[in-house]
């Protein structure tokens, strides 16, 4: 076995005024040589103990070389972003100096909004690079009898879907729980062997050397990126490799330094601010726990007069979207204020189950900027993707046209809201519905 350590460099580009927003962070390999171009001399020495000319050595060195090349490309893109941002900051500084003292605050807010827009543009470009690479190297659907799931990516502008992951490793026949990092560079998901959840492993999909590449981060499932993309929260099931204690764990984005966070058992979903988690239970109705990192406390989310029967998902730091059932049995999808988890409040009902679309709603997601809601609709045992425009809640749209006898779920957006990721066990002919 070959052991090695590659040092990780975190480059923080800019702290935005008094709003505390970081513009760019980037993981690279090797020692930082400042913001200048990285070269071979910038790469940390790699200690590789040779044991009789291990056959793993060429593959290991190839991987190091590929990682270094990708780090150099990312560094070049970062430099360009920093040059653009430097110009923006100088313009903002000049604008603030030219304003009367009482107007500085307004100018500062506008500046933060401009830089936040630049961040979104950067993540959109990263999303586009990943999607383009996935399109250049399409995944082939492998028929199997195990009822395993694959990962799909749907372009919400065109309605076209693309298979992006099928069997990520030999023997693994199911992919699920996809999550896109906020910077747009990576998709995390879990891979399992049929229903053997104790053997689940966390994978990441990103572009390396111009190609989509899958990396293994170790045992676990239900991954969730921290807002800065530096860490991953995940679930450890009983009987996992190495027999770690079950519960929610966190690790660095490269799979290192694993440590248990809580024995709460469920799928962690990191909050938009990074201050805690929504830990989603597996039963129905769903028991969902808010876990706060600040004081290491937790509390079960509850909506008086209702029950939550499917996994909710974050909309912003104080709001989730959820499928709820009232005491009279009426089912709906609603935005909930969860700042006081035990006394969560219905803020807005986005859709109500009715005779015109008699579907049981599961796994809703909601994009605040685009004001669009997507969910899994179940009708006579078949599942299909549904879109709702809150401006026209009585006119839901079937995104697939027909349902499938499958385990469709795990809906999540790309950072720019253009794409929808999900897991499903579609037949081969439905790879691009």
């Amino acid at each position: 076995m070959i052991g090695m350590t590659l040092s990780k460099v975190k480059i923080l580009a800019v702290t935005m005024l008094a709003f505390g927003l970081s513009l760019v962070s980037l993981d690279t390999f090797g020692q930082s040589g400042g913001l200048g171009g990285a070269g071979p001399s910038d790469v940390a020495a790699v200690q590789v103990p040779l044991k009789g000319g291990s056959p793993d050595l060429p593959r290991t060195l190839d991987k190091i070389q590929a990682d270094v090349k990708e780090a150099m490309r990312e560094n070049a893109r970062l430099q360009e972003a920093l040059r653009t941002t430097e110009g923006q900051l100088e313009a903002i500084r000049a604008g603030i100096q030219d304003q009367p003292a009482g107007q500085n605050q307004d100018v500062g807010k506008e500046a933060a909004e401009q830089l936040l827009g630049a961040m979104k543009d950067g993540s959109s470009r990263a999303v586009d690079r990943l999607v383009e690479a996935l399109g250049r190297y399409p995944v082939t659907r492998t028929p199997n009898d195990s009822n395993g799931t694959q990962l799909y990516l749907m372009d919400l502008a065109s309605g076209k879907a693309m298979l992006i992951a099928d069997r990520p490793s030999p023997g693994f026949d199911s992919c699920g729980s996809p999550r896109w990092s906020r910077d747009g560079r990576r998709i995390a998901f879990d891979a399992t062997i049929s229903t053997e959840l104790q053997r689940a492993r966390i994978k990441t999909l990103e572009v390396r050397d111009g190609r989509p590449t899958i990396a293994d981060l170790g045992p676990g499932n239900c991954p969730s990126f921290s807002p800065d993309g530096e860490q991953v929260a995940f679930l450890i099931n009983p009987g996992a490799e190495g027999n770690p204690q079950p519960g929610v764990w966190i690790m660095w984005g490269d799979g290192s330094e694993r440590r248990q966070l809580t024995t709460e058992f469920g799928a962690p979903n990191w909050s938009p601010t990074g201050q805690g988690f929504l830990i989603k239970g597996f039963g129905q109705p769903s028991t969902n726990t808010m876990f706060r990192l600040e004081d290491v406390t937790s509390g079960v989310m509850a909506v008086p007069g209702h029950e939550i029967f499917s996994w909710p998902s974050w909309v912003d730091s104080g709001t989730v979207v959820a499928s709820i059932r009232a005491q009279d049995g009426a089912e709906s999808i609603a935005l909930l204020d969860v700042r006081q988890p035990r006394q969560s409040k219905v803020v807005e009902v986005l859709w109500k189950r009715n005779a015109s679309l008699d579907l049981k709603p599961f796994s809703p997601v909601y994009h605040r900027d685009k004001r669009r809601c997507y969910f899994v609709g179940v009708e006579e045992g078949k599942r299909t993707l549904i879109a709702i425009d809150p401006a026209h809640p009585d006119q839901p749209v079937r995104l697939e046209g027909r349902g499938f006898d499958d385990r469709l779920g795990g809906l999540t957006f790309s950072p720019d809201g253009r794409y929808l990721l999900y897991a499903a066990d579609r037949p081969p002919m439905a790879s691009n519905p």
Side-chain angles (χ1 to χ4, degrees):
M1 182 66 68
I2 296 176
M4 70 180 65
T5 300
L6 294 177
S7 62
K8 180 168 70 172
V9 180
K10 303 179 218 174
I11 303 177
L12 184 63
V14 174
T15 299
M16 287 198 264
L17 304 174
F19 294 86
L21 298 174
S22 59
L23 177 65
V24 180
S25 73
L26 171 67
D27 288 345
T28 60
F29 293 95
Q31 299 295 330
S32 173
L35 296 178
S41 62
D42 296 316
V43 181
V46 180
Q47 303 298 324
V48 184
L50 303 180
K51 295 185 178 180
S54 169
D56 290 335
L57 180 57
R59 291 195 298 272
T60 300
L61 295 179
D62 287 345
K63 183 179 185 303
I64 296 171
Q65 186 177 32
D67 287 339
V68 170
K69 288 181 178 179
E70 182 63 22
M72 292 169 67
R73 283 191 291 272
E74 290 291 343
N75 198 14
R77 288 193 285 266
L78 177 61
Q79 290 179 65
E80 179 62 29
L82 286 174
R83 283 193 290 269
T84 301
T85 303
E86 184 178 19
Q88 292 174 330
L89 288 173
E90 288 301 325
I92 291 168
R93 187 192 306 277
I96 291 176
Q97 291 174 345
D98 291 342
Q99 296 295 325
Q103 297 181 17
N104 282 354
Q105 184 175 3
D106 292 337
V107 175
K109 290 181 179 178
E110 182 179 353
E113 291 174 357
Q114 291 174 359
L115 291 181
L116 184 58
M119 290 175 63
K120 290 182 178 179
D121 290 344
S123 65
S124 294
R125 288 193 293 270
V127 167
D128 290 342
R129 284 196 297 271
L130 180 50
V131 173
E132 288 169 5
L134 290 167
R136 287 196 303 270
Y137 300 94
V139 176
T140 301
R141 174 75 168 86
T142 304
N144 66 77
D145 299 324
S146 65
N147 199 34
T149 56
Q150 310 86 48
L151 296 188
Y152 292 87
L153 181 152
M154 178 176 284
D155 185 338
L156 297 176
S158 67
K160 294 183 178 180
M162 173 171 57
L163 176 68
I164 65 170
D166 185 8
R167 295 190 175 189
S169 300
F172 286 79
D173 57 12
S174 191
C175 303
S177 307
R179 287 291 180 269
W180 214 309
S181 63
R182 187 178 289 186
D183 63 9
R185 295 175 54 230
R186 296 194 293 168
I187 294 171
F189 63 98
D190 56 38
T192 58
I193 303 173
S194 298
T195 57
E196 299 180 40
L197 295 179
Q198 74 276 13
R199 300 182 66 181
R201 299 189 70 84
I202 296 172
K203 307 284 186 176
T204 56
L205 175 63
E206 62 182 306
V207 177
R208 289 193 177 187
D209 206 20
R211 299 179 64 101
T213 303
I214 291 178
D216 184 281
L217 302 189
N221 64 331
C222 301
S224 176
F225 284 107
S226 60
D228 62 6
E230 295 287 328
Q231 299 183 79
V232 178
F234 59 99
L235 174 65
I236 286 290
N237 281 280
E241 179 183 318
N243 200 33
Q245 186 176 18
V248 174
W249 290 57
I250 56 176
M251 62 183 171
W252 289 112
D254 60 3
S256 64
E257 297 185 31
R258 291 171 160 242
R259 58 259 189 223
Q260 187 171 30
L261 179 66
T262 174
T263 56
E264 297 278 356
F265 193 82
N269 195 184
W270 218 306
S271 72
T273 60
Q275 296 176 341
F277 301 88
L278 172 60
I279 301 176
K280 299 178 286 191
F282 295 97
Q284 286 190 23
S286 177
T287 299
N288 303 281
T289 303
M290 291 289 186
F291 185 88
R292 293 169 52 91
L293 287 170
E294 182 179 341
D295 51 12
V296 196
T297 60
S298 62
V300 175
M301 189 173 73
V303 186
H306 298 78
E307 63 181 8
I308 301 171
F309 61 87
S310 179
W311 279 4
S313 61
W314 290 105
V315 175
D316 56 40
S317 60
T319 310
V320 302
V321 60
S323 298
I324 59 175
R325 182 186 296 113
Q327 292 176 342
D328 62 3
E331 296 177 349
S332 60
I333 295 177
L335 300 182
L336 306 178
D337 182 337
V338 294
R339 287 175 293 180
Q340 299 295 327
R342 298 180 186 275
Q343 294 292 322
S344 298
K345 301 176 182 178
V346 175
V347 176
E348 180 182 356
V349 174
L350 303 177
W351 176 79
K352 292 182 179 180
R353 184 175 180 178
N354 55 69
S356 64
L357 188 66
D358 191 16
L359 298 172
K360 193 172 187 65
F362 286 96
S363 303
V365 291
Y366 180 76
H367 197 281
R368 172 77 74 184
D369 293 342
K370 299 182 181 298
R371 282 191 56 77
R372 294 297 298 271
C373 178
Y374 299 84
F375 69 94
V376 175
V378 181
E379 181 180 33
E380 297 180 352
K382 296 183 181 293
R383 295 188 170 209
T384 188
L385 287 172
I386 305 294
I388 297 173
D389 181 351
H392 304 283
D394 57 337
Q395 301 174 20
V397 178
R398 294 175 181 265
L399 299 183
E400 298 176 294
R402 62 190 178 98
F404 295 88
D405 295 312
D406 64 11
R407 292 181 290 143
L408 170 67
L411 277 58
T412 188
F413 291 112
S414 61
D416 57 2
R418 176 173 175 176
Y419 300 97
L420 186 70
L421 283 174
Y422 56 95
D425 55 342
R426 295 293 190 252
M429 69 180 66
S431 295
N432 291 283

